[in-house]
């Protein structure tokens, strides 16, 4: 038994950290297609696997994205501050979706 995280870490390390080097995920046309979708991103300020710079770069392209960055947190969703932000974001997005769909049925 090999945990999935270990396999993924090895894969990305061997493959120059990114498997999709030829795909620009932050392309203006690609990002324009999702600007209308509400998004709250939670990213640990001390994440050594995915540095905070990646989230900041995404924020520059995804203007509707709200970035929440617990400064002392790392990469794990089990970090108490990350978990806290995930619960708040989930509740807020659920509230937004429910309020936008009432009466449409």
């Amino acid at each position: 038994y090999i945990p999935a995280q270990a396999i993924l870490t090895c894969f990305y390390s061997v493959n120059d950290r990114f498997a999709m080097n030829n795909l620009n995920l932050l392309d203006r046309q690609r990002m324009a297609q999702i600007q209308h979708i509400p998004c709250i991103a939670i990213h640990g300020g001390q994440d050594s696997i995915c540095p905070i710079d990646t989230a900041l770069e995404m924020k520059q392209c995804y203007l509707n994205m709200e970035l929440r960055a617990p400064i002392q947190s790392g990469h794990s969703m089990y970090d108490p501050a990350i978990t806290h932000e995930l619960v708040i974001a989930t509740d807020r997005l659920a509230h937004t979706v429910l309020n936008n769909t009432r009466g449409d049925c």
Side-chain angles (χ1 to χ4, degrees):
Y1 168 74
I2 301 173
Q5 185 63 47
I7 293 171
L8 289 171
T9 300
C10 288
F11 175 81
Y12 286 111
S13 296
V14 168
N15 291 287
D16 195 22
R17 294 180 63 193
F18 298 99
M20 300 182 288
N21 283 333
N22 296 327
L23 178 62
N24 183 1
L25 295 177
L26 302 180
D27 176 71
R28 286 182 192 266
Q29 289 179 328
R30 183 182 302 276
M31 294 304 295
Q33 295 175 6
I34 64 169
Q35 289 295 331
H36 66 283
I37 301 171
C39 176
I40 303 172
I42 294 92
H43 195 108
Q46 300 297 317
D47 189 335
S48 58
I49 296 170
C50 299
I52 190 72
D53 293 355
T54 58
L56 297 172
E57 198 174 324
M58 176 71 116
K59 175 64 179 139
Q60 289 177 340
C61 297
Y62 197 158
L63 304 178
N64 284 340
M65 182 181 91
E66 177 184 334
L67 177 59
R68 307 290 301 161
I71 300 302
Q72 299 301 318
S73 297
H75 189 73
S76 176
M77 69 180 196
Y78 300 109
D79 178 288
I82 297 278
T83 302
H84 175 76
E85 292 292 344
L86 286 169
V87 170
I88 290 171
T90 303
D91 288 345
R92 284 183 50 210
L93 288 173
H95 180 74
T96 299
V97 169
L98 290 175
N99 283 340
N100 288 338
T101 59
R102 288 207 174 123
D104 290 346
C105 297

